[in-house]
Amino acid sequence: MDFREHQDRAKRNSRIIWFLYVLLLSISSLLIGWTFVVGLNLAELYQPGYEQYSFWQKFSASNSRAFNSEQIQILLSFSAIAFIVQSLTTAFGFFKKSDGHKVAIAFNARRLDEDSAHSLAEKQALNIVAEQALAASVPTPSLYLIPEQGINAFAAGKSHKNAIVAITEGALNTFSRTELSGVIAHEIGHIVNQDIKLNIQISAFVFGFTALFFLARFIFYNAIYNRRMDGRAKLVMFAMAAVIAIIGALTVWMGRILQAAMSRQREYLADASAVQFTRYPDGLVQAFEVLENGGKSTKMENPSSKEYAHAMMFGIGGELFATHPPLRERIARIQNQK
């Protein structure tokens, strides 16, 4: 398998992700600007003196006015504000999720080192992390142990220097040394391929779109508690809030599809990297077969697991969009590398 070709493909996919995100952000911002301007025009047309016109006549007139020379600047201004607000929310989401150690702590994980590793299995896991990091030519990431019986693992952190690898107690107690080597090599593959940074970016993108829900709620409550506003104008405000909430739901939905599609491809890439580092494809294959044939659960109870489902090595179940390829397909791809 040509790993350099995989790397080039991953970089192309990353650029596509950025383009699609900016496109989706721009479209949603323009829709928000349109909603505000049309809503304000409708509110004006519901004042006394326009009773003889039907709703559709008012709506058509509001649309026409929104794109005339007088109001197009207002529409673009509202759109720019919506773009900035969503971008700032995205930036907040990026920095919130960029510290791998904080992500591990969110799972109540315990950091393992030479002093805190008590059992033979824990010391063995530390040795494997050091071995695979050396094989991958990256700094040895910190290892965290998650108090969960579900079998899973993930890598987190925005750079090689502050990256961490976390495994569950279920994975530590279930896998043999060879199998665990494949699993940890897979996670280090994510670090080498900068998947964890990409995961943070995609999560932040989706998080940025949630700003529209807060905007919709603000408009809704402002209409409820504004005593100076006419009842019909309040109905227009409620409609604006509903439209913005729908736009928010659609952008989050599309963002999740984007997130899931990219996650599946990066899992294949990390599997290939694990084979490259361990030089033993059967280790990872055997780990997959333990789950495929043994009926072991990958589900995690911690509430944070849903937010980071795309970063897990195995799907945790109950996801609307699959962030991981089927194990059988992953096994087939690895075996084709022989």
Side-chain angles (χ1 to χ4, degrees):
M1 172 168 288
D2 189 346
F3 292 97
R4 192 165 295 175
E5 183 182 342
H6 273 297
Q7 291 284 358
D8 292 340
R9 186 185 302 172
K11 290 177 182 178
R12 287 197 301 271
N13 286 340
S14 297
R15 289 193 290 269
I16 291 171
I17 287 289
W18 276 105
F19 171 76
L20 291 177
Y21 166 69
V22 173
L23 179 63
L24 191 58
L25 184 62
S26 301
I27 292 173
S28 65
S29 299
L30 284 171
L31 287 173
I32 294 302
W34 171 83
T35 302
F36 268 108
V37 174
V38 171
L40 291 174
N41 287 337
L42 272 175
E44 182 180 338
L45 292 177
Y46 269 101
Q47 298 302 313
Y50 299 96
E51 294 86 351
Q52 69 272 27
Y53 299 104
S54 68
F55 168 79
W56 292 111
Q57 288 176 314
K58 294 175 182 177
F59 183 73
S60 177
S62 297
N63 269 292
S64 299
R65 291 174 61 184
F67 293 98
N68 64 25
S69 57
E70 295 178 1
Q71 294 196 356
I72 191 68
Q73 290 294 333
I74 299 175
L75 187 152
L76 293 176
S77 296
F78 276 126
S79 299
I81 292 171
F83 188 94
I84 292 170
V85 169
Q86 290 183 90
S87 298
L88 290 175
T89 307
T90 298
F92 173 78
F94 179 80
F95 288 111
K96 176 187 175 185
K97 302 168 186 288
S98 63
D99 191 324
H101 297 277
K102 289 184 178 179
V103 173
I105 291 172
F107 283 88
N108 300 316
R110 173 169 62 92
R111 185 172 180 174
L112 296 180
D113 53 33
E114 294 298 332
D115 296 325
S116 62
H118 304 301
S119 69
L120 178 61
E122 292 176 359
K123 293 179 180 179
Q124 183 174 262
L126 280 173
N127 290 336
I128 292 172
V129 170
E131 289 172 3
Q132 298 307 319
L134 181 63
S137 300
V138 295
T140 303
S142 299
L143 178 63
Y144 281 85
L145 185 63
I146 304 171
E148 294 261 7
Q149 292 309 307
I151 299 175
N152 231 313
F154 66 85
K158 65 179 179 180
S159 68
H160 293 175
K161 294 181 179 179
N162 62 11
I164 67 101
V165 170
I167 59 174
T168 62
E169 290 181 353
L172 184 67
N173 296 329
T174 300
F175 292 137
S176 66
R177 192 188 197 285
T178 302
E179 294 162 355
L180 191 61
S181 292
V183 169
I184 290 176
H186 171 99
E187 296 306 330
I188 290 179
H190 279 308
I191 296 172
V192 172
N193 299 324
Q194 297 188 331
D195 292 341
I196 50 178
K197 183 177 181 180
L198 183 62
N199 280 336
I200 293 169
Q201 290 172 345
I202 298 173
S203 294
F205 296 163
V206 177
F207 182 76
F209 294 133
T210 62
L212 299 182
F213 293 115
F214 293 101
L215 178 60
R217 188 170 65 177
F218 172 79
I219 294 172
F220 180 79
Y221 282 110
N222 186 59
I224 288 179
Y225 295 110
N226 191 331
R227 297 181 178 178
R228 299 178 182 178
M229 190 178 296
D230 179 77
R232 289 169 294 187
K234 285 189 175 186
L235 289 176
V236 172
M237 295 291 283
F238 291 150
M240 286 174 59
V243 170
I244 292 173
I246 291 171
I247 294 171
L250 288 174
T251 51
V252 169
W253 181 71
M254 294 177 70
R256 293 291 185 195
I257 292 176
L258 195 64
Q259 183 182 45
M262 178 57 73
S263 178
R264 289 193 293 272
Q265 296 305 313
R266 305 304 283 203
E267 291 302 317
Y268 285 133
L269 180 57
D271 288 345
S273 298
V275 173
Q276 181 185 23
F277 302 149
T278 61
R279 302 295 180 183
Y280 187 65
D282 287 344
L284 191 55
V285 168
Q286 289 167 7
F288 289 157
E289 287 177 341
V290 167
L291 295 172
E292 181 80 358
N293 304 323
K296 300 288 186 179
S297 174
T298 60
K299 189 174 182 180
M300 298 174 66
E301 301 298 331
N302 191 293
S304 297
S305 62
K306 291 183 179 180
E307 184 179 0
Y308 293 96
H310 62 282
M312 298 293 173
M313 184 168 183
F314 307 110
I316 61 174
E319 298 154 276
L320 182 59
F321 303 107
T323 56
H324 294 69
L327 289 176
R328 184 48 52 188
E329 289 186 17
R330 296 172 73 175
I331 292 172
R333 285 210 181 194
I334 293 172
Q335 291 176 333
N336 288 338
Q337 293 175 18
K338 295 181 180 178

